[in-house]
Amino acid sequence: MEDNTRHQTNNSTPEGTGCRTFTQEQVNQIVSDRLAREREKQTGSEDYKSLYEAAQSELDSIKAGLTRAEKEAAVRAYFEDKNIIGKSLDIAMLAARADIDGLVLDGDKITDTAALDTLVTGALAPLVSHTVTTGAVTFNPAANSSEPDRLADAFKPKI
């Protein structure tokens, strides 16, 4: 009888078929192990996803900063063309800070300067320097002067 019992326990894996049978607990354990491994893989991809999103956010921030710097350079050039220079230029840049983001550039030129024109003619008008160009002081004698022109006489041809 012992032989028969032993044969029945070994009969769960028939010889020659290569098949193995599992209990429900073993199947549950295999499935839960497999799910745990898949979750670990997903966690790794979540890390990559969060890294990608952080890098994308940083790239967007850099692009926005570059665009802002280009706009500020264009506004600075615009104010310099309007003869706002030196410390006045720094003050004008602070005054235009709110308007800079709304500006549209075409290359390095501002397409619509209406907001800046309003600033220049309004609040910034006292900062605009007026340049007066003067030459060297010259003496122009009256046309009917009786005094002889000695320089002209020196260069007259002597005939």
Side-chain angles (χ1 to χ4, degrees), residues 24-87:
Q24 186 63 43
E25 286 180 27
Q26 290 173 325
V27 170
N28 290 344
Q29 184 63 40
I30 292 169
V31 170
S32 65
D33 290 346
R34 174 66 184 219
L35 286 173
R37 286 194 304 269
E38 288 299 317
R39 284 189 189 114
E40 286 179 24
K41 288 181 185 177
Q42 292 296 327
T43 302
S45 67
E46 287 296 320
D47 291 340
Y48 289 122
K49 184 178 179 182
S50 65
L51 288 174
Y52 170 78
E53 289 172 353
Q56 188 65 37
S57 174
E58 184 178 353
L59 178 63
D60 292 342
S61 174
I62 290 170
K63 284 181 181 179
L66 181 60
T67 301
R68 174 110 178 144
E70 289 172 348
K71 288 180 180 182
E72 285 178 358
V75 169
R76 185 173 294 277
Y78 173 81
F79 284 147
E80 287 172 350
D81 287 343
K82 298 291 183 180
N83 291 323
I84 300 175
I85 53 175
K87 297 270 185 197

Side-chain angles (χ1 to χ4, degrees), residues 14 20-21 29 44 69-70 75 99 103 113 121 144-145 156:
R20 185 173 169 200
T21 59
Q29 184 63 40
E70 289 172 348
V75 169
D99 296 322
L103 297 176
T113 61
T121 57
N144 59 2
S145 173
K156 278 187 185 175

Side-chain angles (χ1 to χ4, degrees), residues 138-145 147 149:
T138 58
F139 175 72
N140 293 327
N144 59 2
S145 173
E147 188 177 327
D149 190 1

